Amino acid sequence: MNYSLEENNLSGTLSSVPIFPTAPEGSSRLTGSVKMADCIRVPLLLLLMCIFLFVHLIQAQNNAIKKLIAGVDKMQNQVGGLGLAAGNPGVDERNQGAGASLSRRRSTGWKLAEEAVCRDDLTRLCPKHSWNNNLAVLECLQDRKEDSEIAAECNHLLWNYKLNLTTDPKFESVAVEVCKTTISEIKECAAEELGKGYLVSCLVDHRGNITDYQCNQYITKMTTIVFSDYRLICGFMDKCRDDINTLKCGSISTGEKDVHSQGEVIACLEKGLVREAEDQTGAHVIREECKKAIMRVAELSSDDFHLDRYLYFSCRDDRERFCENTLAGEGRVYKCLFNHKFEDSMSERCREALTTRQKLIAQDYKVSYSLAKACKSDLRKYHCNVDTSLPRAREARLSYLLLCLESAVHRGRVVSGECQGEMMDYRRMLMEDFSLSPEIVLHCRSEIESHCSGLHRKGRTLHCLMRVGRGDMGAIDPSCQKALQTLIQEADPGADYRIDRALNEACESVIQTACKHIRSGDPMILSCLMEHLYTEKMVEDCEHRLLELQYFIARDWKLDPILYKKCQSDASRLCHTHGWNETSELMPPGAIFSCLYRHAYRSLEQGRRFPSGESEAENHGSMLSRDCKVEVQRILHQRALDVKLDPELQRRCMTDLGKWCSEKTEAGQELECLQDHLDDLVADCKEVVGNLTELESEDIQIEALLMRACDPVIQAHCHEVADNQIDSGDLMDCLVQNKHQKEMNEKCAVGVTHFQLIQVKDFRFSYKFKTACKEDVLKLCPNIKKKVDVVICLSTTVRNDTLQDAKEQRVSVKCRKQLRVEEVEMSEDIRLEPELYDSCKTDINKLCQNVAFGNAQVIECLKENKRQLLPRCHQKVFKLQEVEMVDSELDYQLMRVCKNMIRRFCTESDGKNVLQCLKQNKNSEMMDPKCKQMITKRQITQNTDYRLNPVLRKACKADIPKFCDSILKKAKDETELEGQVISCLKLKYADQRLSPDCEDQIRVILQESALDYRLDPQLQIQCAEEISSLCTEEAAAQEQTGQVEECLKINLLKLKKEGCKKEVLNMLKESKADIYVDPVLHTACALDIKHHCAAIPPGKGRQMSCLMEALQDKRIRLQPECKKRLQDRIDMWSYAAKVAPAEGLGDLAMQVMTSPSKNYILTVICAGVALLFMMGLLCGRFTKRVTQELKDRFYRQGTAKWAVPASPRPSHR
């Protein structure tokens, strides 16, 4: 700017001396141009107005003003003449021309334009209208490059002029008059001793507080002059002389370097200060008073980049290129250049100068004029600069300012928009250039050199360090990790993703597509990006940058602004937290979130008992607010995406992750791996993985990847459950129940199965089971942890109470209900029963290698190959079948295949008796073929051993030990008897010796097995070869209707194997006892039975005898097929009687009773018995007398032989 005092009548000798400024019209500093040629001449009218106002002011003043003007006149003459030499006694003789020229004086005042040594430069560089104003000439010439554009003699002349101008006491008196009001307002300046040049320096220091226009313009112009050379700054050279010499920053003698700009010296000192802060090797420790002087110079030059001479000359071209239209002043040019610092066309020298400036700002925020001005009131309002517990250097740091004001913002306090805008600019600056943080440079030096060299620009180095901090590129030094965490807190990119330029650029496309509904800069953008992590919308570069940032945000709950806002009161109440920018050793930032989520899931319904003495109201007070719990759940969902986002998990499980999960690199695999190896983990890791798994059991939506994979199933079958804010394990139950729906994809099925397998390890991992049965487990099954063992323990208790008809069940109702659910779920996959799975691993690999685990398919495979199993596995499978037969609901395959048939036929049946119901409706026309086939399989299984048929076992509990004890003695526990006991009972049924209940059950079995030979295990075993050779077609038939049995009967004479022949003969014997046992005959004779034997009840051979009598009765005409079948049966029975004679009287009697000639045989037997009776009567009368004589004879002989002489009896006479 040009400030001039024109000649007037008050002083004819006063020339253009810059004391009282006029209002500015145009300026190279205000227009952005650095060339004096661009200055605009003050309009005449404005000039006249200024003169008029000046004259009026002079007339209004007292004699002091006249003295002031006289002093100024005298002072300027001294500046132009002898004062020059006096002020610089060490001027070199080589500048004699300049000194001689300066000795000339004019009565009207000395002018720089009249000096010969500067005339050529003035003519060439400065507009003619500025020649009459010394300060205009000075400004024009001093902004030229040091070494090339200005002659050395002229440089020296200018420097001496400025030195005298800034040190002459008379200028101090001018300042006293011009800034009288201001000095009285600024106490520090009012207290300065006059005559030593300190007053002007004080006013320069406080120019930001000067409100008077004239004083402000005067001091601004003086500042421009002062800052052109460090030696002109009051006291600077004295304070920094030793440091300048030590650092070799340049000369301190005017005779050694006579250039008008010594900005490089200050720049050198500033760089030395930065090196010291970064603790670089060989860094010189600058004296404290020089440090303060350097920072003060930087602060005072913060509003106008012209005042930073080194930066000004380094960035003149870049300013024209990037900031041509940016007005100078108030730090605007600085900010513009900062924003373009990493542009490719930015010169390296300018970038270096800007970086140095930024590092100084990092050390003292006041070096940034715009930040200090915008945040001044807020700093005072929130006491950010009055912390007496901190040293001044720490309090002034940019990081402290940012943390203090960010704390106010996060607490909901009002911080001006202008200040927040400035804060955001500098937070972005910190994220862009790691070198602005001395702690990063100091503590992360080795990491940068090893992993991140050459990535300086646009925040790439910082993100590289973050990646190292995550552990993706090797170990990181703890001090470097801490420095990174501190920097992230200072920059606070969680509040606005745009602060992180690397993240912003990498994720721009994702934000535009996936998060376009969220306002730009909203903190929810980061959450949105996390929700789309590992989806098709996410790009790889964004994924990496996002995880790198989230790693550090996850380690301090305060860095998530939404979480902090919703939970700060809860955290203060429950976790004893301090302010946003305060930390506690007892409760470090990483522990706060753990505290919050422990309280988030604390409730009575979750099975957690209140601590002793704690009431329900008190417990409610220790729970989180609803809004806070929602945010805690959101964070947990995000952390589940990557194990490294959970600080506690990563810290405790680092060793186990390397040991067990080093190859698990896909998303979510590491946690699954830890859960799979839960029993192998060290205690600390096992605890944290267990707690997290328990938490997932309550809210499976924490597993974001699983929820994403299961979305089709959830939308189709579980949307109502998923919409509930409180999950309580319902969603996982729904997914398990719909695990085999068509919407279920492989990823979801694998995830659900994995969670089921994890639940087996600890009953606490099954939320609903834990909630329902926790009290029962503590009471009945203490010290048992594995879920399978707990289920077995509780199930055994329930069964024993039921069998013993206990008055009160020891297991609670709600636990019994949930126990049923757990038992059913465990039956779906053999892996959910570890003991069975471990026992059968070898057999599974051998016999069921290609069979999927789900839908109980492996279990079914083992059942079908039961005879080939190893003994250990065979026993376990038998035990499983025994349980399933007692409780059909535990037979997963049966319940799955026959689900619709159960709904149709068995809605009123108890779940445990479903199989019995299905067997009764097996031959219904509405029965589904697949279900019918499954029922047949179960019938075959039941008939292999009476213990697998609970109804038969109960009905025949007295008959089995009575008639089949020999078989039981040979039997082994948990090994099938292959139908031997049932075969034994069948024979006794034919003999009609069974109890009524047992007879009814055996009749059913006989009827069923008569239709399907596979239901008779002994027949199938003994006649396997005969069936394959003689009855191939019948056995291959899809529908079994007794044709195989008929085939064997027809080919009875061809049977060679005694065992098979015996079984067929038994069938014939059984059929004589009940025609229903012979389905072929019954079918052929059904009409005849209806016509001739309808009144005769079935069983005990009654209807068969009726048909035989009808066959012999010539008056009755039977159906041809019936007649033929009956005749065949008579022949078979005759052959059977020859082949298999009666084994005893009972068998003989049965044969007679079931013989077609029963009446004839009985008549003959009766006649014979009667004849014998009559003969006995006759023969008995004839022999009676002989027998009596013989008896008497023998009696007499015996008496004589054994007679004893009688002793004399006393006489009683």
Side-chain angles (χ1 to χ4, degrees):
M1 285 179 159
N2 298 328
Y3 305 93
S4 62
L5 177 64
E6 299 295 338
E7 298 180 4
N8 53 59
N9 295 329
L10 297 174
S11 177
T13 59
L14 186 60
S15 184
S16 300
V17 180
I19 300 175
F20 300 120
T22 61
E25 169 64 33
S27 167
S28 62
R29 289 198 298 135
L30 288 177
T31 59
S33 173
V34 298
K35 297 182 179 179
M36 203 61 197
D38 296 332
C39 296
I40 303 174
R41 185 182 299 274
V42 179
L44 182 59
L45 179 60
L46 183 58
L47 181 60
L48 293 174
M49 290 176 63
C50 291
I51 294 173
F52 173 78
L53 291 172
F54 169 71
V55 172
H56 178 73
L57 178 63
I58 295 301
Q59 291 176 347
Q61 297 296 327
N62 54 25
N63 293 332
I65 297 298
K66 296 180 181 180
K67 294 178 181 179
L68 166 65
I69 296 173
V72 170
D73 190 354
K74 183 177 180 181
M75 177 271 302
Q76 178 159 0
N77 289 331
Q78 290 176 342
V79 168
L82 296 174
L84 234 164
N88 295 279
V91 177
D92 198 277
E93 292 181 358
R94 62 186 176 86
N95 293 317
Q96 290 179 357
S101 176
L102 291 171
S103 65
R104 294 192 303 270
R105 307 169 108 189
R106 292 184 181 180
S107 61
T108 57
W110 174 79
K111 292 183 174 58
L112 282 172
E114 296 176 354
E115 298 300 324
V117 292
C118 291
R119 189 166 297 149
D120 292 341
D121 295 316
L122 190 65
T123 304
R124 179 166 51 88
L125 299 173
C126 301
K128 195 170 182 179
H129 65 77
S130 65
W131 290 5
N132 289 329
N133 189 323
N134 285 347
L135 293 185
V137 172
L138 183 62
E139 184 174 8
C140 172
L141 293 179
Q142 75 174 6
D143 283 353
R144 302 298 163 182
K145 291 184 179 179
E146 300 177 9
D147 300 327
S148 60
E149 297 189 33
I150 308 297
E153 293 81 359
C154 184
N155 275 330
H156 187 61
L157 175 68
L158 295 174
W159 190 88
N160 279 283
Y161 173 75
K162 290 186 289 184
L163 179 62
N164 283 279
L165 191 66
T166 55
T167 56
D168 196 292
K170 294 197 171 50
F171 263 95
E172 190 173 85
S173 63
V174 174
V176 170
E177 294 300 327
V178 175
C179 300
K180 181 184 297 183
T181 305
T182 301
I183 293 172
S184 63
E185 293 174 352
I186 303 175
K187 296 180 180 180
E188 293 86 346
C189 297
E192 291 289 356
E193 185 179 353
L194 299 178
K196 294 186 178 181
Y198 294 157
L199 178 61
V200 175
S201 295
C202 179
L203 291 172
V204 170
D205 285 355
H206 292 84
R207 75 180 190 277
N209 298 325
I210 297 175
T211 56
D212 183 77
Y213 179 76
Q214 291 183 344
C215 181
N216 185 59
Q217 297 302 319
Y218 169 73
I219 294 301
T220 299
K221 177 51 65 177
M222 289 303 297
T223 303
T224 305
I225 297 172
V226 168
F227 276 84
S228 65
D229 196 307
Y230 75 97
R231 291 169 295 187
L232 302 178
I233 302 171
C234 181
F236 184 87
M237 190 170 67
D238 294 334
K239 295 175 181 177
C240 296
R241 184 189 306 273
D242 294 339
D243 296 297
I244 293 172
N245 288 331
T246 303
L247 294 171
K248 299 179 182 179
C249 291
S251 66
I252 59 173
S253 171
T254 57
E256 296 177 9
K257 191 174 183 183
D258 294 330
V259 291
H260 69 280
S261 175
Q262 292 286 317
E264 289 187 356
V265 176
I266 294 181
C268 174
L269 290 171
E270 291 174 345
K271 291 176 183 177
L273 189 61
V274 168
R275 285 195 298 271
E276 180 186 346
E278 295 174 355
D279 197 21
Q280 295 185 18
T281 305
H284 167 67
V285 179
I286 299 175
R287 292 189 305 169
E288 195 62 34
E289 58 180 6
C290 183
K291 285 182 184 177
K292 293 180 180 179
I294 295 170
M295 295 305 294
R296 188 58 181 158
V297 168
E299 180 184 337
L300 294 173
S301 61
S302 62
D303 66 332
D304 190 348
F305 91 114
H306 291 84
L307 304 182
D308 189 333
R309 305 305 292 172
Y310 179 77
L311 186 144
Y312 168 72
F313 286 116
S314 299
C315 297
R316 282 197 301 181
D317 295 338
D318 299 286
R319 188 269 172 92
E320 292 294 331
R321 187 180 304 114
F322 298 112
C323 309
E324 182 180 3
N325 298 321
T326 302
L327 298 177
E330 298 187 351
R332 286 187 288 264
V333 176
Y334 283 126
K335 289 184 64 176
C336 176
L337 291 172
F338 288 159
N339 291 335
H340 293 85
K341 175 180 169 182
F342 290 114
E343 296 290 341
D344 294 335
S345 55
M346 173 69 74
S347 67
E348 198 59 41
R349 186 181 180 194
C350 180
R351 184 180 291 119
E352 181 186 356
L354 290 171
T355 300
T356 301
R357 185 85 191 177
Q358 288 176 318
K359 290 180 179 180
L360 294 176
I361 294 173
Q363 292 192 40
D364 192 338
Y365 72 91
K366 291 183 180 179
V367 177
S368 170
Y369 177 86
S370 56
L371 178 63
K373 180 182 178 183
C375 297
K376 182 177 180 180
S377 60
D378 294 297
L379 290 169
R380 185 166 53 250
K381 181 178 180 181
Y382 299 114
H383 310 290
C384 296
N385 51 3
V386 291
D387 193 343
T388 56
S389 64
L390 293 174
R392 176 68 184 88
R394 172 66 178 87
E395 184 185 307
R397 293 194 60 172
L398 175 65
S399 59
Y400 183 79
L401 172 143
L402 292 176
L403 290 174
C404 180
L405 292 180
E406 285 167 10
S407 175
V409 172
H410 287 298
R411 294 198 310 270
R413 306 294 191 269
V414 178
V415 175
S416 66
E418 185 181 4
C419 180
Q420 290 198 48
E422 289 293 330
M423 289 169 58
M424 183 170 178
D425 288 339
Y426 284 97
R427 285 155 59 193
R428 186 186 294 114
M429 180 183 76
L430 291 175
M431 289 294 293
E432 278 189 352
D433 192 346
F434 77 96
S435 66
L436 304 184
S437 175
E439 292 81 3
I440 298 291
V441 176
L442 174 61
H443 298 299
C444 301
R445 188 174 292 129
S446 61
E447 285 79 6
I448 293 172
E449 292 175 356
S450 302
H451 305 290
C452 308
S453 58
L455 300 173
H456 182 73
R457 299 184 179 183
K458 299 181 181 180
R460 293 180 189 145
T461 301
L462 188 59
H463 268 276
C464 175
L465 287 173
M466 291 180 188
R467 191 157 62 253
V468 176
R470 271 175 53 88
D472 296 343
M473 301 171 67
I476 187 172
D477 187 84
S479 57
C480 178
Q481 183 92 353
K482 184 178 180 181
L484 285 170
Q485 189 71 44
T486 302
L487 177 61
I488 298 300
Q489 183 178 3
E490 293 168 2
D492 195 18
D496 192 334
Y497 72 96
R498 296 172 298 180
I499 291 170
D500 189 343
R501 183 172 178 180
L503 175 70
N504 189 16
E505 292 181 356
C507 298
E508 185 177 3
S509 61
V510 183
I511 294 171
Q512 293 301 321
T513 54
C515 310
K516 59 183 178 182
H517 60 287
I518 303 176
R519 178 179 57 83
S520 180
D522 193 292
M524 284 305 295
I525 290 285
L526 281 181
S527 288
C528 175
L529 291 173
M530 288 299 294
E531 289 173 6
H532 290 86
L533 196 64
Y534 305 123
T535 66
E536 65 280 357
K537 292 184 178 180
M538 180 59 64
V539 297
E540 184 178 5
D541 195 29
C542 177
E543 177 182 308
H544 292 322
R545 302 295 86 76
L546 182 61
L547 287 175
E548 288 156 9
L549 178 61
Q550 283 290 346
Y551 176 85
F552 288 90
I553 291 179
R555 273 145 184 79
D556 190 344
W557 75 291
K558 298 175 296 187
L559 299 184
D560 188 308
I562 305 173
L563 175 67
Y564 184 80
K565 180 180 179 181
K566 299 292 186 181
C567 296
Q568 58 177 321
S569 60
D570 294 296
S572 176
R573 174 169 52 89
L574 301 173
C575 308
H576 312 293
T577 58
H578 299 274
W580 187 86
N581 59 335
E582 299 176 9
T583 57
S584 168
E585 293 182 359
L586 298 177
M587 187 64 73
I592 304 297
F593 185 77
S594 299
C595 170
L596 288 174
Y597 89 70
R598 281 196 301 271
H599 287 88
Y601 293 91
R602 183 184 183 192
S603 66
L604 181 62
E605 290 73 22
Q606 293 165 354
R608 297 182 175 91
R609 294 178 296 181
F610 299 141
S612 59
E614 183 177 311
S615 66
E616 185 174 355
E618 290 171 337
N619 180 74
H620 181 75
S622 64
M623 294 171 57
L624 295 187
S625 63
R626 182 175 181 178
D627 288 345
C628 181
K629 183 172 181 179
V630 169
E631 291 307 313
V632 170
Q633 289 174 328
R634 175 180 64 85
I635 299 300
L636 288 173
H637 295 172
Q638 294 178 4
R639 290 188 173 188
L641 295 170
D642 191 323
V643 68
K644 293 179 181 177
L645 296 181
D646 191 324
E648 192 76 5
L649 181 66
Q650 189 190 26
R651 181 177 64 83
R652 293 197 189 185
C653 299
M654 185 64 70
T655 303
D656 288 305
L657 282 169
K659 183 177 181 180
W660 304 108
C661 312
S662 57
E663 297 180 358
K664 304 293 184 179
T665 57
E666 296 295 325
Q669 285 187 344
E670 288 177 310
L671 179 57
E672 290 183 1
C673 171
L674 290 174
Q675 291 172 330
D676 290 338
H677 291 87
L678 185 66
D679 296 332
D680 303 318
L681 304 179
V682 297
D684 280 354
C685 181
K686 187 174 184 179
E687 180 185 4
V688 70
V689 173
N691 290 338
L692 184 58
T693 307
E694 186 177 357
L695 195 61
E696 288 180 349
S697 72
E698 179 174 354
D699 184 6
I700 192 59
Q701 295 189 57
I702 291 174
E703 281 280 3
L705 292 176
L706 178 61
M707 291 300 96
R708 199 175 294 160
C710 296
D711 187 63
V713 187
I714 293 173
Q715 295 302 323
H717 304 283
C718 310
H719 60 91
E720 292 182 0
V721 178
D723 292 340
N724 294 335
Q725 287 191 355
I726 301 177
D727 187 345
S728 301
D730 293 329
L731 183 54
M732 178 51 73
D733 282 354
C734 180
L735 289 173
V736 170
Q737 293 168 9
N738 294 278
K739 187 175 173 182
H740 303 287
Q741 296 290 346
K742 61 181 180 180
E743 292 86 2
M744 178 67 70
N745 55 62
E746 184 179 359
K747 284 186 178 181
C748 181
V750 169
V752 172
T753 301
H754 164 77
F755 197 78
Q756 289 180 286
L757 295 175
I758 295 304
Q759 288 181 330
V760 172
K761 297 178 182 291
D762 194 322
F763 80 95
R764 295 180 300 119
F765 298 164
S766 178
Y767 172 72
K768 283 199 163 186
F769 182 56
K770 175 191 70 176
T771 304
C773 298
K774 186 172 183 179
E775 299 295 335
D776 300 275
V777 173
L778 293 174
K779 181 174 64 176
L780 302 172
C781 311
N783 304 322
I784 299 179
K785 191 173 183 180
K786 289 188 176 181
K787 180 180 175 182
V788 177
D789 297 335
V790 172
V791 169
I792 292 173
C793 171
L794 293 176
S795 299
T796 304
T797 304
V798 172
R799 183 182 62 189
N800 292 340
D801 288 348
T802 303
L803 293 176
Q804 295 171 10
D805 295 326
K807 293 182 179 180
E808 184 177 351
Q809 287 276 356
R810 287 175 289 173
V811 179
S812 62
V813 176
K814 64 177 182 179
C815 182
R816 291 203 301 271
K817 290 181 179 179
Q818 190 60 35
L819 189 62
R820 164 65 45 182
V821 175
E822 299 299 331
E823 290 174 328
V824 172
E825 286 185 5
M826 287 169 59
S827 67
E828 186 267 340
D829 193 324
I830 191 172
R831 293 173 297 180
L832 300 180
E833 300 191 49
E835 190 175 351
L836 173 62
Y837 180 56
D838 293 340
S839 300
C840 296
K841 271 186 179 178
T842 304
D843 296 293
I844 292 172
N845 294 331
K846 179 182 178 181
L847 303 171
C848 311
Q849 188 174 7
N850 299 320
V851 179
F853 282 101
N855 270 336
Q857 294 178 81
V858 172
I859 295 177
E860 197 66 22
C861 172
L862 293 174
K863 291 176 182 176
E864 292 173 357
N865 294 278
K866 189 164 54 175
R867 290 189 176 90
Q868 303 177 48
L869 300 179
L870 295 174
R872 184 184 177 196
C873 179
H874 192 281
Q875 288 180 0
K876 296 296 180 183
V877 172
F878 177 81
K879 191 67 178 176
L880 173 66
Q881 288 180 314
E882 189 175 1
V883 172
E884 289 178 349
M885 292 304 174
V886 172
D887 189 347
S888 299
E889 279 188 320
L890 303 182
D891 189 339
Y892 189 87
Q893 275 280 29
L894 175 71
M895 301 299 291
R896 184 184 70 85
V897 174
C898 297
K899 181 167 64 174
N900 294 330
M901 296 300 101
I902 292 172
R903 291 174 182 171
R904 174 170 293 173
F905 297 110
C906 309
T907 52
E908 298 180 359
S909 298
D910 184 11
K912 295 182 178 181
N913 301 322
V914 165
L915 179 59
Q916 193 69 16
C917 169
L918 291 172
K919 283 161 58 175
Q920 294 170 1
N921 294 277
K922 174 183 173 182
N923 297 317
S924 170
E925 294 180 356
M926 302 176 67
M927 177 59 68
D928 177 65
K930 290 183 178 179
C931 180
K932 186 174 183 179
Q933 186 179 4
M934 181 58 66
I935 296 170
T936 301
K937 282 186 178 182
R938 297 299 177 259
Q939 288 179 299
I940 293 172
T941 299
Q942 282 188 326
N943 290 347
T944 58
D945 197 304
Y946 78 98
R947 290 171 291 183
L948 300 180
N949 191 333
V951 178
L952 174 68
R953 187 176 184 177
K954 182 178 180 180
C956 301
K957 62 181 178 181
D959 300 88
I960 292 173
K962 180 178 179 181
F963 299 114
C964 312
D965 186 58
S966 59
I967 299 173
L968 295 179
K969 289 179 179 179
K970 297 177 183 178
K972 297 180 180 180
D973 291 338
E974 300 175 356
T975 302
E976 290 92 338
L977 298 174
E978 299 297 347
Q980 295 180 58
V981 171
I982 295 178
S983 295
C984 167
L985 293 174
K986 287 179 182 178
L987 292 175
K988 300 309 173 185
Y989 172 81
D991 295 341
Q992 300 179 5
R993 299 173 64 183
L994 299 177
S995 63
D997 290 342
C998 185
E999 184 176 285
D1000 291 341
Q1001 292 301 318
I1002 292 297
R1003 182 186 305 113
V1004 173
I1005 292 175
L1006 285 170
Q1007 291 172 356
E1008 291 172 346
S1009 59
L1011 291 170
D1012 191 339
Y1013 75 98
R1014 295 171 299 177
L1015 299 184
D1016 189 336
Q1018 283 297 312
L1019 178 66
Q1020 193 174 10
I1021 293 171
Q1022 299 296 339
C1023 299
E1025 296 179 4
E1026 284 77 3
I1027 291 173
S1028 61
S1029 59
L1030 300 174
C1031 310
T1032 308
E1033 294 183 3
E1034 290 82 353
Q1038 187 174 3
E1039 187 74 19
Q1040 293 294 323
T1041 56
Q1043 296 301 318
V1044 173
E1045 290 88 339
E1046 188 68 16
C1047 171
L1048 290 173
K1049 292 174 184 177
I1050 293 172
N1051 292 282
L1052 179 60
L1053 299 176
K1054 297 180 181 180
L1055 301 179
K1056 297 180 180 180
K1057 189 176 179 180
E1058 288 300 322
C1060 180
K1061 188 181 293 185
K1062 182 178 179 181
E1063 289 300 321
V1064 175
L1065 291 173
N1066 287 338
M1067 279 196 301
L1068 290 170
K1069 182 179 178 181
E1070 292 158 4
S1071 65
K1072 290 170 68 178
D1074 194 338
I1075 192 171
Y1076 286 97
V1077 176
D1078 192 338
V1080 175
L1081 179 62
H1082 180 266
T1083 302
C1085 299
L1087 190 60
D1088 294 297
I1089 292 173
K1090 183 178 180 180
H1091 287 167
H1092 306 297
C1093 308
I1096 298 175
K1100 297 184 179 181
R1102 288 187 287 263
Q1103 288 187 342
M1104 181 67 76
S1105 298
C1106 174
L1107 287 175
M1108 289 300 179
E1109 292 175 359
L1111 178 65
Q1112 294 174 359
D1113 192 339
K1114 299 186 181 295
R1115 294 172 299 174
I1116 300 175
R1117 298 185 61 180
L1118 299 177
Q1119 296 291 323
E1121 183 66 19
C1122 178
K1123 188 174 182 179
K1124 179 179 180 301
R1125 293 291 180 184
L1126 281 174
Q1127 194 61 52
D1128 291 341
R1129 294 297 182 270
I1130 293 173
D1131 294 341
M1132 291 179 186
W1133 291 330
S1134 300
Y1135 177 74
K1138 296 178 183 179
V1139 175
E1143 297 178 356
L1145 292 177
D1147 195 11
L1148 177 62
M1150 180 56 61
Q1151 288 188 16
V1152 170
M1153 293 304 295
T1154 57
S1155 171
S1157 304
K1158 178 180 69 172
N1159 293 335
Y1160 173 74
I1161 295 172
L1162 290 175
T1163 301
V1164 171
I1165 291 174
C1166 290
V1169 171
L1171 180 62
L1172 289 173
F1173 179 74
M1174 294 300 296
M1175 290 177 63
L1177 288 175
L1178 294 173
C1179 294
R1181 298 297 300 176
F1182 176 75
T1183 59
K1184 182 177 179 181
R1185 184 172 40 204
V1186 177
T1187 303
Q1188 184 63 41
E1189 291 177 355
L1190 289 173
K1191 287 181 178 179
D1192 291 341
R1193 187 189 305 169
F1194 283 117
Y1195 175 75
R1196 286 193 298 270
Q1197 291 177 354
T1199 303
K1201 184 177 180 178
W1202 297 98
V1204 178
S1207 57
R1209 297 182 179 178
S1211 176
H1212 295 286
R1213 293 182 182 180

